[in-house]
Amino acid sequence: MSAKFEYRRLDRNDAAVLLVDHQSGLCNIVGDFSPDDFKNNVLALADAAKYFELPTILTTSFEDGPNGPLVPELKERFPDAPYIARPGQINAWDNEDFVQAVKATGKKQLIIAGVVTEVCVAFPALSALEEGYDVFVIADASGTFNHTTREAAWARMTAAGAQLMTWFGAASELHRDWRNDVEGLGTLLSNHLPAYRNLITSYSGKR
């Protein structure tokens, strides 16, 4: 008999965001999204983290090498966030400073995105799951070489218990109810989705 399904939804009071290795060099090898779409998705997730006031941790891997520095827009959005420049560890969870920063948030839900999906996202996601965290991987803010490598990474993480989401789905689940802040959520969505901007414009014009 299968276990009863439990809907573990995102809770803005118990979630932290981990942005892993969104670096200028690594972003150049993302092939499963167009460059414009991928950048928009990453910044949409970042803006959602700011809107919901979620603790956010930035980390890079070997940024003095070919991976390059963190994309500047993320540093601009989170000037005071923990910034862990890992000297070489491929799995961010192997870096003690990173793990301590995660634990310092006091949150049990981890929203993770990064480059590349099967390494920089999957490795810390699996490590966090092993330690009892609920892990939510933002699929459209995580990039890799192609659809084959992406599907392999998704399969590995979901088999271990991670939930795959999009930034739009995560924002909606965190918000829970439009009545909490129509203008705030509407602005967040319309800033990153042209079609949603049309929807909000139509809504605003009818009032």
Side-chain angles (χ1 to χ4, degrees), residues 39-169:
K39 187 172 186 178
N40 176 69
N41 294 339
V42 172
L43 297 183
L45 174 60
D47 288 343
K50 286 183 63 68
Y51 173 66
F52 293 108
E53 299 181 343
L54 305 181
T56 300
I57 298 169
L58 309 173
T59 186
T60 58
S61 172
F62 197 42
E63 62 179 47
D64 292 332
N67 293 347
L70 183 75
V71 295
E73 292 90 345
L74 294 180
K75 187 60 177 174
E76 290 167 4
R77 280 166 167 76
F78 303 102
D80 300 318
Y83 181 90
I84 314 299
R86 309 190 314 279
Q89 298 96 340
I90 294 175
N91 181 351
W93 211 265
D94 289 339
N95 183 280
E96 184 177 347
D97 291 336
F98 179 78
V99 174
Q100 289 305 313
V102 173
K103 291 181 177 179
T105 68
K107 311 301 183 183
K108 292 300 292 180
Q109 295 183 339
L110 302 181
I111 300 170
I112 305 179
V115 183
V116 295
T117 309
E118 68 269 32
V119 175
C120 307
V121 178
F123 292 177
L126 295 169
S127 298
L129 286 163
E130 186 178 37
E131 293 205 18
Y133 288 91
D134 282 333
V135 172
F136 300 79
V137 173
I138 307 303
D140 55 354
S142 301
T144 185
F145 304 102
N146 54 54
H147 289 89
T148 300
T149 53
R150 180 172 78 182
E151 293 293 335
W154 286 357
R156 188 182 190 195
M157 289 186 284
T158 55
Q163 295 192 48
L164 294 181
M165 301 188 74
T166 63
W167 73 262
F168 182 89

